[in-house]
Amino acid sequence: MKANNNTTIRICMGTGGIAAGGAEVLNAFKKELNLAGIKANIEKNCSMHKVGCRGLCAKDVLVDVIINDEKTTYQFIKSDMVPRIVKEHIIEKTPVIDWVVGEDYHNFHKKQFKVVLSDCGSIDPEDITAYIGVKGYEAAKKVLISLKPEEVVEIIKSSGLRGRGGAGFPTGVKWEIAMKQDSKQKYLICNADEGDPGAFMDRSVIEGNPHAVIEGMIIGAYTIGADKGYVYIRAEYPLAVERLKKALSDARENGFLGKGILGTKFNFDIKVKLGAGAFVCGEETALIASIEGQRGMPRAKPPFPVYHGLWGKPTVINNVETLANVPCIIRNGARWFASFGTEKSKGTKVFALTGKIKNSGLIEVPMGIPLREIIYDIGGGTESGKALKAVQTGGPSGGCIPADMLDTPVDFESLAKVGSIVGSGGMVVLDEDNCMVNMAQYFLQFTQMESCGKCVPCRIGTKRLLEILDRITKGKGKKGDIELLEKLSRDIKAASLCGLGQTAPNPVLSTIKYFRHEYEAHLQGKCPAAVCKELLTYYILEEFCNGCGACLRACPAGAITGEKKKPHFIDSEICIKCGACFDACKFKAVAKE
């Protein structure tokens, strides 16, 4: 039996898709198509392939069935659902409506504008011909054959592309400085050392379209005059590393890497360097030290890497998203890229939308879009339906923006004005159940642990900040602690050697600025969000308690007493505040404050 003419099946096989059972779904399709006599990827009328992250990870496994250019997308697909899709949709031409994505899926994509992610989720990341089929490597051909390095620099400068790794430095300016350095040896490095908690932008791009990053590196290397490149990527990203290495091998076999690329005199090749998980190695000089085999620690700047970088030679470091933008700019023109975004923040930005959000996942939006549109129109609001309290942007080094400032545009300048940063693209949504003092403590705990220890302001200063926050969240705060946090934070920002220390206090300063009342409440022994364990008091509401005994049986400390079918009582002197009673009660009779 044959499938419908021009049938294509796409199965999400990014990390999220695989975790949700993507491999099993893929195998199930192979089995069912074979049983039906349909030889996928052999007969021209039916093709099936894996794709990278589709964005809306919350609905994985996502599957596309495209018949005669009519696409149907299915959500939450498991292997045992595949036989019905093959029988009813692929053979009988009737989509299985029960499993088709709904309005929230379409709303998630409606206000996005995909440049970097344009081909993620639609092409097979392990097939170089699929990338070539969507005009892949055409930009590299154009640059190597018909453009001078100076012309490429002008295109990138005119586009307004700024580094997407966090600092936002103009990419064209960086390339121009490196291009003008008089050195026989130069290097280009792709920084894929994505370490922010909850961030998965770079990983998803490499998993879904590694050739776009490679092509961007080829163009950048030609422009600055480098013949050697590195991709510094976290070893914790095994799928991304595997697909990257395959893409590099395929690029070499097809003449896009190596000597005499595309018949020109340009030589360039790329090595993969695995990082060991040090957050500080996201800082460019620490990254360089790691590649050189040294301990990953930053050094003072200047000189900047473009003058004195890897092994003392001029070096350009761009992150994954920055480089993946480059082929699109060359193909479509600087004016095209500059036509969206804001006056100073051009183009789009990829964000990992996580936290208390209904539609968590990977998004790409024009720079300047208001936070409100991201949270509500794309993200669907809070998952719980409770009131939104704040949005943390920029990862652990970013700031918390309160709900009453959701009309803030998302761009480099606007976020800086309100005490936050774009960063690499982390965006964590917090609702009314989040304690802002606890959140500041959480992020600072991460940056303090990841401090390399080289400079005193960061090594000791962040430790002192964390000690004060720990004390406050345990109800042992002192008068003047808030002011001490502010002063110490400002000193750390001013005196730290690198970006880690300079931005580590941001969560503390922004939460004090916008949620000072929560800090003051903690000094009075109360946690308004009822999160900080040592400040909680558990009690039973008599009018709701039917004496079922569930809380009594769950309590490990024996703090609950009461007769069967009569209201129970919690002895606060014995209670260890573990919350077991709260979780066990089905009648909402156990309360906390």
Side-chain angles (χ1 to χ4, degrees):
M1 183 179 293
K2 289 190 175 182
N4 298 353
N5 291 332
N6 301 316
T7 299
T8 300
I9 304 165
R10 299 172 180 161
I11 301 162
C12 180
M13 288 283 283
T15 294
I18 291 174
E24 291 80 3
V25 171
L26 180 66
N27 290 331
F29 266 105
K30 289 179 180 178
K31 177 183 176 182
E32 292 301 319
L33 291 172
N34 185 56
L35 289 173
I38 303 168
K39 297 181 180 178
N41 295 331
I42 297 176
E43 294 188 5
K44 293 183 180 179
N45 63 334
C46 182
S47 66
M48 179 177 64
H49 58 266
K50 64 177 77 71
V51 297
C53 180
R54 301 286 302 277
L56 192 46
C57 311
K59 296 186 181 296
D60 273 325
V61 176
L62 290 162
V63 174
D64 283 341
V65 175
I66 307 169
I67 299 176
N68 294 329
D69 297 326
E70 186 174 337
K71 183 173 75 172
T72 302
T73 301
Y74 294 102
Q75 62 185 10
F76 302 124
I77 298 303
K78 301 296 181 183
S79 58
D80 59 1
M81 301 162 73
V82 172
R84 185 179 171 189
I85 295 174
V86 172
K87 180 180 182 294
E88 296 183 18
H89 191 173
I90 297 175
I91 296 175
E92 298 175 359
K93 306 180 183 179
T94 303
V96 184
I97 301 301
D98 296 346
W99 302 335
V100 174
V101 294
E103 186 178 358
D104 55 347
Y105 177 86
H106 298 294
N107 288 339
F108 179 81
H109 291 92
K110 193 177 294 182
K111 289 196 173 181
Q112 294 192 51
F113 188 89
K114 296 189 176 182
V115 177
V116 172
L117 301 180
S118 59
D119 295 316
C120 289
S122 62
I123 66 171
D124 186 339
E126 297 182 23
D127 183 2
I128 191 172
T129 62
Y131 182 64
I132 292 172
V134 290
K135 299 183 179 180
Y137 289 111
E138 286 190 6
K141 290 178 182 177
K142 178 180 178 180
V143 166
L144 268 59
I145 294 172
S146 61
L147 294 179
K148 297 177 181 178
E150 294 82 3
E151 293 175 307
V152 180
V153 163
E154 286 307 312
I155 292 172
I156 301 302
K157 287 172 67 176
S158 298
S159 73
L161 176 65
R162 294 170 64 177
R164 297 303 196 245
F169 190 83
T171 304
V173 174
K174 182 184 287 189
W175 286 13
E176 183 176 40
I177 295 171
M179 178 188 69
K180 292 181 177 179
Q181 299 309 300
D182 184 15
S183 175
K184 292 182 179 180
Q185 182 64 65
K186 299 178 184 179
Y187 297 96
L188 187 139
I189 300 173
C190 171
N191 182 354
D193 189 56
E194 186 173 52
D196 294 7
F200 47 93
M201 300 78 61
D202 292 349
R203 184 195 72 192
S204 296
V205 172
I206 292 177
E207 288 179 358
N209 194 7
H211 287 285
V213 181
I214 295 170
E215 185 174 14
M217 291 185 71
I218 293 169
I219 295 169
Y222 168 79
T223 305
I224 70 169
D227 65 356
K228 291 183 176 63
Y230 288 85
V231 177
Y232 189 91
I233 185 169
R234 301 179 74 81
E236 297 95 330
Y237 287 174
L239 182 62
V241 172
E242 178 187 339
R243 290 181 177 171
L244 174 63
K245 287 182 176 179
K246 186 179 188 309
L248 289 170
S249 176
D250 291 345
R252 291 187 193 99
E253 289 182 10
N254 284 268
F256 298 115
L257 288 175
K259 294 185 177 181
I261 297 175
L262 298 174
T264 67
K265 296 181 180 180
F266 178 59
N267 306 323
F268 179 65
D269 209 343
I270 299 170
K271 291 183 179 180
V272 175
K273 170 67 176 179
L274 299 182
F279 180 65
V280 73
C281 285
E283 195 279 336
E284 56 185 8
T285 59
L287 183 155
I288 287 172
S290 181
I291 292 178
E292 291 176 342
Q294 304 173 44
R295 181 178 173 185
M297 301 175 76
R299 62 163 174 76
K301 295 180 288 188
F304 294 94
V306 285
Y307 302 101
H308 185 90
L310 187 61
W311 290 298
K313 303 300 181 181
T315 304
V316 162
I317 303 175
N318 294 127
N319 89 319
V320 169
E321 186 181 344
T322 308
L323 291 163
N325 268 300
V326 171
C328 302
I329 293 171
I330 299 297
R331 285 199 305 266
N332 299 296
R335 185 175 297 179
W336 165 81
F337 188 82
S339 67
F340 38 89
T342 67
E343 182 181 353
K344 294 182 179 180
S345 299
K346 303 293 186 183
T348 61
K349 181 72 187 79
V350 179
F351 290 97
L353 189 58
T354 60
K356 303 288 188 67
I357 190 75
K358 183 179 179 182
N359 297 325
S360 62
L362 197 69
I363 66 172
E364 185 172 4
V365 292
M367 282 283 201
I369 186 173
L371 265 173
R372 187 180 305 278
E373 292 186 22
I374 292 177
I375 304 306
Y376 290 103
D377 296 347
I378 297 174
T382 59
E383 184 179 22
S384 62
K386 295 182 178 181
L388 183 141
K389 180 180 282 189
V391 180
Q392 165 87 3
T393 69
S397 300
C400 292
I401 302 170
D404 60 6
M405 299 182 72
L406 285 185
D407 292 318
T408 301
V410 178
D411 59 65
F412 293 108
E413 289 72 32
S414 299
L415 291 184
K417 285 180 181 178
V418 298
S420 190
I421 57 175
V422 171
S424 59
M427 190 174 287
V428 183
V429 177
L430 310 172
D431 69 10
E432 60 186 24
D433 288 340
N434 287 108
C435 168
M436 301 312 294
V437 184
N438 175 263
M439 290 307 301
Q441 179 191 32
Y442 168 78
F443 285 115
L444 191 67
Q445 198 170 36
F446 176 83
T447 50
Q448 199 280 322
M449 178 179 64
E450 292 292 342
S451 171
C452 75
K454 184 173 183 178
C455 72
V456 172
C458 181
R459 182 180 74 244
I460 304 300
T462 56
K463 188 172 180 62
R464 295 290 90 86
L465 280 179
L466 187 57
E467 288 172 350
I468 298 169
L469 288 170
D470 284 342
R471 192 169 72 236
I472 291 174
T473 57
K474 291 177 180 176
K476 299 178 181 179
K478 304 174 183 178
K479 183 179 179 181
D481 271 352
I482 300 175
E483 292 74 18
L484 180 57
L485 284 171
E486 290 178 309
K487 182 181 186 305
L488 188 53
S489 292
R490 288 192 292 268
D491 290 344
I492 294 169
K493 286 176 70 69
S496 289
L497 177 63
C498 80
L500 190 153
Q502 292 162 10
T503 58
N506 282 346
V508 179
L509 289 173
S510 63
T511 50
I512 291 177
K513 180 178 181 180
Y514 298 117
F515 300 96
R516 193 182 188 94
H517 61 282
E518 291 200 21
Y519 281 84
E520 292 170 345
H522 280 70
L523 294 181
Q524 299 301 316
K526 293 290 183 181
C527 175
V531 170
C532 297
K533 179 180 174 181
E534 285 80 356
L535 302 184
L536 296 181
T537 299
Y538 286 89
Y539 58 96
I540 293 176
L541 301 169
E542 292 186 13
E543 60 270 32
F544 295 118
C545 181
N546 62 8
C548 72
C551 61
L552 187 151
R553 291 188 295 272
C555 179
I560 301 176
T561 57
E563 297 180 24
K564 191 175 183 179
K565 295 185 179 181
K566 290 185 179 181
H568 286 35
F569 172 77
I570 299 176
D571 187 336
S572 60
E573 295 297 322
I574 302 175
C575 177
I576 60 173
K577 304 177 182 181
C578 66
C581 57
F582 185 86
D583 295 333
C585 183
K586 298 179 180 179
F587 305 100
K588 297 183 178 180
V590 180
K592 60 180 179 178
E593 65 177 15

